Amino acid sequence: MLKQLSAVLPLVLFGMVACQSKPTSTDKASADSAKTATQETSSPVAKLATGPIDKAAVLARKQVPIVCYHQIRDWKATDSKNAKDYIVQIAAFKEHMKMLADSGYHTILPDQLYNYLVAGAPLPKKPIMLTFDDTDLDQFTIAAPEMKKYGFKGVFFVMTVSIGRPHYMTTEMIKKLSDDGNVISSHTWDHHRVDKYSHNSNLVIKGLNGKITNRPVDDWVTQIDKPTKKLEEITGKKIYYFAYPFGIWKKPVLPELDKKGFKMAFQLADKRDPDYPLLTVRRILDSGYWSTKTFGNSVRNSF
């Protein structure tokens, strides 16, 4: 969800990731403690709450901290000031995960959040959700192994156009994340803004002979239905959760997403919609400029 992207998301090439350092005995102790606690309290929920949804009750419940990540890599000289806000450097990410573990946080997954918001189901002490957008390779090679040290699980919002391309995750990696207990969720085909979708758009095609033709398309099918089905085929699991590209949404898109069967949709920091609170769940970005202290304060005070 990078700012100032063009209508078609450019696929940025990233450098090779650095080797991870060996954890110290102190790191191992905190990791073992956090892993045990998390395994006891945040296993995937087998059954989602059913029945009418009390929107006022959903809004009244205390919000759970939800953090959004994009790239986990070291900055390069070519990175713009704006881009660095979305790039958490490797050492910083490791420090942030250790801080969460040392502070007693337990990761939860969307099923747990849904049951808590809808039915008041209990959550572990100091719950937090870690989410990752856009399918970047470093989420698999850097973020997932670091989270695993502490028994943390995450939610990976996959943009399907990038699957298998250089510096993005492969089908096998996505399946592995799912098999390891993380949640794979929908993030459109190629990151077009949801509020721009139409059921009757024109796709302009230029042939090799230079001839231009128009082909009618349904953006909702292209960006939502087909990518979601593809992820279900990869994981073998039903996809119930969605993240808005750029965090942008508008009221008219919410009934459309509701009809698609999504249980929850995740934005960024805008105010939740009172009619669709489950489709406007708030997150914060872990900024590349944040120190561990700033990150901790933001987690505590933003929800």
Side-chain angles (χ1 to χ4, degrees):
M1 297 188 304
L2 302 178
K3 298 176 182 177
Q4 300 179 346
L5 287 175
S6 62
V8 177
L9 181 71
L11 299 174
V12 183
L13 298 179
F14 302 135
M16 295 300 291
V17 295
C19 295
Q20 297 185 53
S21 59
K22 184 178 180 180
T24 64
S25 58
T26 302
D27 291 338
K28 187 176 186 304
S30 62
D32 290 344
S33 175
K35 184 175 181 179
T36 299
T38 302
Q39 287 174 338
E40 291 174 350
T41 55
S42 62
S43 58
V45 177
K47 188 175 181 180
L48 288 172
T50 58
I53 295 174
D54 185 336
K55 299 169 186 175
V58 171
L59 288 167
R61 298 197 198 283
K62 180 176 174 57
Q63 295 179 71
V64 172
I66 305 175
V67 184
C68 175
Y69 292 96
H70 291 83
Q71 300 174 42
I72 313 297
R73 63 171 177 84
D74 293 333
W75 291 349
K76 298 183 294 187
T78 53
D79 291 326
S80 69
K81 181 179 178 181
N82 205 38
K84 289 177 180 177
D85 204 29
Y86 296 83
I87 305 167
V88 178
Q89 299 194 80
I90 297 170
F93 181 80
K94 291 181 177 182
E95 290 173 3
H96 294 183
M97 293 301 103
K98 185 177 185 302
M99 182 278 295
L100 291 176
D102 290 345
S103 300
Y105 282 94
H106 301 89
T107 55
I108 66 168
L109 296 174
D111 286 358
Q112 292 170 279
L113 180 63
Y114 181 84
N115 283 355
Y116 161 71
L117 291 174
V118 170
L123 293 175
K125 185 178 180 182
K126 299 186 77 170
I128 191 168
M129 187 182 293
L130 304 177
T131 69
F132 300 83
D133 291 7
D134 298 349
T135 333
D136 294 282
L137 178 61
D138 46 65
Q139 297 171 6
F140 181 85
T141 58
I142 301 296
E146 192 65 22
M147 292 163 59
K148 189 174 182 179
K149 286 168 52 177
Y150 303 106
F152 290 168
K153 304 294 184 185
V155 188
F156 294 82
F157 291 103
V158 173
M159 176 182 62
T160 55
V161 71
S162 61
I163 297 175
R165 295 194 179 188
H167 307 286
Y168 288 86
M169 285 189 246
T170 64
T171 296
E172 293 75 19
M173 292 173 181
I174 294 167
K175 179 70 162 60
K176 174 96 165 81
L177 287 173
S178 177
D179 290 347
D180 286 348
N182 302 284
V183 171
I184 303 302
S185 297
S186 186
H187 195 44
T188 76
W189 176 58
D190 67 351
H191 216 269
H192 275 55
R193 281 174 48 169
V194 178
D195 61 321
K196 301 293 185 181
Y197 292 175
S198 168
H199 285 292
N200 188 25
S201 296
N202 282 320
L203 178 64
V204 178
I205 303 173
K206 185 176 182 179
L208 294 177
N209 60 0
K211 183 179 179 181
I212 296 176
T213 59
N214 293 319
R215 179 164 62 87
V217 297
D218 186 327
D219 295 326
W220 288 96
V221 173
T222 301
Q223 297 290 343
I224 302 295
D225 294 350
K226 290 182 178 179
T228 302
K229 182 180 179 181
K230 181 171 184 176
L231 294 176
E232 290 177 342
E233 291 171 349
I234 291 172
T235 63
K237 301 172 184 176
K238 184 70 177 174
I239 304 293
Y240 286 118
Y241 307 107
F242 176 79
Y244 298 98
F246 312 98
I248 296 174
W249 59 277
K250 290 182 180 177
K251 185 86 170 188
V253 310
L254 302 181
E256 291 277 0
L257 285 174
D258 189 41
K259 286 189 292 187
K260 298 293 182 184
F262 289 112
K263 300 293 186 182
M264 290 189 297
F266 296 79
Q267 53 153 332
L268 288 177
D270 290 336
K271 185 177 179 180
R272 292 176 293 171
D273 185 272
D275 296 321
Y276 294 92
L278 294 172
L279 296 181
T280 50
V281 179
R282 294 177 59 249
R283 302 186 289 172
I284 60 169
L285 288 168
D286 185 352
S287 170
Y289 293 104
W290 282 357
S291 67
T292 302
K293 182 179 180 180
T294 302
F295 171 64
N297 288 338
S298 297
V299 167
R300 287 189 294 271
N301 299 324
S302 296
F303 295 90

